[in-house]
């Protein structure tokens, strides 16, 4: 039975607390677009995306009007393009241009899946696609890229880790005149999920249906507002408040996902429970942590507070929907979170503290701006550290760092929109990890991999 109080509270969350659906993402399989001729393959890719997603944006807008729920982004994820490139050995940049053309035709904000899965080694098409990423992202606006370099079952492919340090730096250089945006559209994963609706890491996994609708929610502002009503409660009460709020947020996501599924005649996949912040005031995960009693995000106790938040969000969300997935937890993207930006500017939030926080939240080192003269081996070492946390803890971790070409720590890089602005964080660039990265090979899978 519908509770009038709950309905009014949800309306207030939307009006006053920045609650929204961050994305409706349509996943589309391109396996039937594989062809030995790349031109024919690209034609098939374009035709299928335009056919399947032609109504995605209009339906999303109709749902916004019907329910009064803001839907910030409409997106598409596709089969990792390296799988298509393997069949023809053509220039993968042609696929990127095709994805861009299709994304513009159907009107989506982003399209993800210019991706490769190389956690156990490179197969045909993988290296060609990875090496083409800087050019592909410099020539497109809406295409996003991801590479999975490790997993709990396989270990970490250090040859791929070493390569990605150079690729990220090259992507930043290739888009230096666009605030290094190319690097902001690359995610390097360990244990990448196949149903993630969030960019830049979304791709449509081979175990997914031919087409599916996945939803990503927001809600840090709603969680913080709920906690203001309990200034002196103990942490058990705090956890209960977060669970109840996450339940309401997820129910809204489920409602939107099912409505989109029915209107588009496409299966409903999952709701991703991740609290996705924005640079807007009042929409910050860092501010939720501070509301719990940490003076500023990054102070001692931050990791424990984030662990509580992440766990409570999951517990509340799984009660609201039978189909949850993606990343599901709490994002901590520095440039996209007003509280994180302030903490990084003041020096209270360091990259070392962020790395510790990633051990207990849903993803990893996200949207961190680093000095433009950072060596590729240092970027690779950052990826290796983060992948090790994911591998050993059987969780998804990721790295999305942006080398600010021509800038140093203490300066800022302005992206605009949901990407926000990034204080350039200090790294240990005076200490080399080059020999470690140059060894290559694989870091073996941990004991946790032997679960059978």
């Amino acid at each position: 039975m519908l509770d009038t109080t709950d309905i009014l509270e949800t309306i207030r969350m939307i009006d006053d607390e920045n609650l929204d659906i961050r994305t409706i993402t349509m996943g589309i399989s391109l396996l039937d677009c594989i062809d030995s001729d790349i031109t024919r393959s690209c034609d098939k890719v374009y035709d299928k995306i335009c056919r399947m997603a032609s109504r995605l944006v209009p339906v999303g807008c109709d749902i916004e009007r019907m329910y009064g729920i803001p839907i910030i982004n409409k997106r598409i994820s596709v089969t990792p393009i390296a799988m298509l490139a393997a069949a023809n050995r053509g220039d993968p940049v042609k696929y990127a241009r095709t994805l861009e053309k299709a994304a513009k035709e159907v009107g989506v904000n982003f399209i993800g899946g210019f991706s490769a899965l190389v956690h156990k080694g490179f197969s045909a098409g993988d290296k060609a696609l990875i090496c083409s990423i800087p050019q592909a992202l410099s020539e497109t606006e809406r295409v996003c890229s991801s590479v999975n370099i490790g997993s709990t079952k396989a270990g970490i492919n250090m040859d791929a880790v070493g390569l990605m340090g150079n690729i990220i730096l090259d992507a930043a250089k290739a888009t230096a005149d666009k605030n290094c945006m190319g690097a902001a559209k690359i995610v390097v994963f360990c244990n990448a999920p196949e149903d993630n609706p969030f960019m830049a890491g979304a791709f449509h996994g081979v175990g997914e249906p031919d087409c599916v609708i996945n939803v990503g929610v927001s809600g840090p502002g709603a969680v913080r507002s709920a906690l203001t009503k309990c200034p002196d409660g103990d942490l058990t009460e705090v956890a209960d408040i977060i669970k109840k709020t996450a339940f309401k947020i997820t129910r809204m996501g489920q409602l939107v996902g099912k409505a989109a599924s029915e209107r588009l005649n496409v299966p409903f996949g999952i709701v991703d429970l991740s609290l996705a912040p924005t640079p807007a005031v009042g929409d910050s995960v860092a501010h939720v942590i501070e509301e719990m009693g940490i003076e500023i995000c990054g102070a001692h106790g931050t990791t424990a507070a984030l662990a509580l938040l992440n766990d409570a969000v999951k517990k509340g969300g799984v009660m609201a929907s039978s189909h949850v997935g993606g990343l599901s937890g709490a994002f901590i993207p520095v440039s996209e979170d007003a509280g994180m930006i302030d903490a990084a500017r003041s020096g209270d939030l360091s990259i070392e503290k962020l790395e510790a926080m990633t051990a207990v939240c849903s993803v990893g080192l996200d949207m961190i701006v680093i000095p433009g003269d950072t060596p590729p081996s240092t970027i690779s070492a950052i990826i290796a550290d983060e992948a090790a946390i994911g591998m050993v803890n059987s969780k998804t971790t990721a790295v999305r760092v942006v080398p600010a070409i021509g800038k140093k720590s203490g300066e800022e890089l302005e992206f605009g929109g949901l990407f926000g602005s990034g204080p350039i964080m200090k790294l240990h660039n005076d200490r080399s990890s080059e020999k470690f990265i140059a060894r290559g090979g694989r870091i073996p899978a941990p004991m946790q991999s032997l679960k059978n």
Side-chain angles (χ1 to χ4, degrees):
M1 184 175 178
L2 291 175
D3 188 312
T4 306
T5 304
D6 286 346
I7 294 171
L8 292 174
E9 184 175 7
T10 302
I11 293 170
R12 180 178 52 76
M13 288 177 181
I14 293 168
D15 289 342
D16 301 332
E17 297 163 10
N18 300 295
L19 180 61
D20 57 54
I21 298 298
R22 184 54 43 84
T23 179
I24 295 178
T25 301
M26 175 178 280
I28 302 174
S29 173
L30 300 181
L31 293 177
D32 55 349
C33 300
I34 292 173
D35 198 290
S36 58
D37 182 287
I38 190 169
T39 300
R40 285 199 301 266
S41 181
C42 286
D43 289 343
K44 291 178 184 178
V45 166
Y46 179 80
D47 291 344
K48 183 166 187 180
I49 292 173
C50 291
R51 183 176 72 253
M52 302 299 289
S54 62
R55 295 175 53 239
L56 176 62
V57 172
V59 164
C61 293
D62 286 347
I63 293 171
E64 283 185 276
R65 287 190 290 268
M66 174 174 286
Y67 294 112
I69 299 171
I71 301 172
I72 305 302
N73 283 305
K74 293 85 176 175
R75 300 166 170 169
I76 294 170
S77 63
V78 298
T79 304
I81 292 297
M83 295 182 178
L84 281 69
N88 50 60
R89 306 298 177 95
D91 181 3
V93 175
K94 291 184 179 180
Y95 283 111
R97 295 182 190 126
T98 301
L99 296 178
E100 179 79 3
K101 182 182 175 184
K104 286 182 177 179
E105 175 64 26
V106 300
V108 294
N109 305 93
F110 290 107
I111 185 164
F114 196 74
S115 307
L117 311 179
V118 295
H119 37 283
K120 209 168 183 178
F122 299 98
S123 60
D126 290 334
K127 274 195 177 178
L129 181 128
I130 291 172
C131 291
S132 74
I133 289 173
Q135 181 185 351
L137 299 188
S138 70
E139 293 186 12
T140 59
E141 295 178 0
R142 309 184 193 202
V143 174
C144 294
S145 182
S146 59
V147 179
N148 192 65
I149 50 80
S151 72
T152 299
K153 281 286 188 184
I156 302 172
N157 179 353
M158 290 300 293
D159 294 321
V161 169
L163 180 57
M164 288 310 300
N166 287 284
I167 294 300
I168 290 169
L169 189 58
D170 288 345
K173 290 177 179 177
T175 53
D177 60 336
K178 302 173 185 174
N179 297 319
C180 307
M181 187 59 76
K185 296 192 294 174
I186 302 172
V187 179
V188 185
F189 277 115
C190 179
N191 290 321
E194 295 190 332
D195 53 5
N196 166 26
F198 286 104
M199 298 297 169
F203 64 87
H204 188 72
V206 294
E208 294 288 299
D210 189 58
C211 190
V212 70
I213 289 291
N214 297 319
V215 173
V217 297
S218 177
V223 173
R224 184 192 184 191
S225 178
L227 289 178
T228 61
K229 302 178 181 67
C230 181
D232 301 314
D234 66 23
L235 292 177
T236 302
E237 292 177 78
V238 168
D240 285 341
I241 289 169
I242 295 170
K243 283 191 292 185
K244 291 174 183 176
T245 308
F247 177 88
K248 294 169 186 173
I249 293 169
T250 307
R251 290 296 282 179
M252 186 180 76
Q254 170 105 343
L255 172 70
V256 168
K258 285 198 166 183
S261 168
E262 290 169 2
R263 287 167 178 244
L264 293 167
N265 195 28
V266 170
F268 170 62
I270 55 93
V271 179
D272 187 315
L273 309 179
S274 301
L275 294 183
T278 72
V281 175
D283 198 25
S284 162
V285 169
H287 289 160
V288 176
I289 291 169
E290 291 164 6
E291 193 64 46
M292 291 186 203
I294 305 296
E295 183 176 353
I296 188 165
C297 185
H300 297 298
T302 296
T303 305
L306 183 60
L308 184 157
L309 172 64
N310 200 59
D311 179 68
V313 166
K314 291 177 189 288
K315 287 174 177 172
V318 296
M319 289 296 293
S321 175
S322 297
H323 299 288
V324 299
L327 297 163
S328 290
F331 284 160
I332 51 171
V334 175
S335 80
E336 298 176 13
D337 184 304
M340 297 282 178
I341 293 169
D342 290 340
R345 281 178 182 153
S346 67
D348 291 284
L349 187 62
S350 66
I351 195 163
E352 291 84 5
K353 186 60 176 178
L354 281 162
E355 184 179 305
M357 293 164 67
T358 65
V360 299
C361 76
S362 66
V363 62
L365 296 172
D366 194 15
M367 283 305 291
I368 295 174
V369 186
I370 60 176
D373 60 357
T374 302
S377 59
T378 298
I379 299 173
S380 295
I382 292 169
I383 294 169
D385 283 342
E386 198 58 34
I389 290 173
M391 176 184 70
V392 171
N393 291 288
S394 301
K395 68 185 292 294
T396 300
T397 51
V399 172
R400 184 162 53 143
V401 294
V402 183
I405 305 303
K407 294 180 180 288
K408 298 181 178 180
S409 59
E411 299 181 68
E412 295 206 9
L413 189 63
E414 181 70 39
F415 299 108
L418 288 176
F419 286 100
S421 63
I424 299 173
M425 305 194 78
K426 186 179 185 301
L427 302 180
H428 296 293
N429 281 343
D430 55 338
R431 297 289 184 263
S432 176
S433 308
E434 189 168 357
K435 184 176 178 180
F436 175 72
I437 298 301
R439 287 179 180 272
R442 272 171 51 205
I443 293 179
M447 286 297 294
Q448 291 92 316
S449 67
L450 300 178
K451 290 184 177 180
N452 291 332

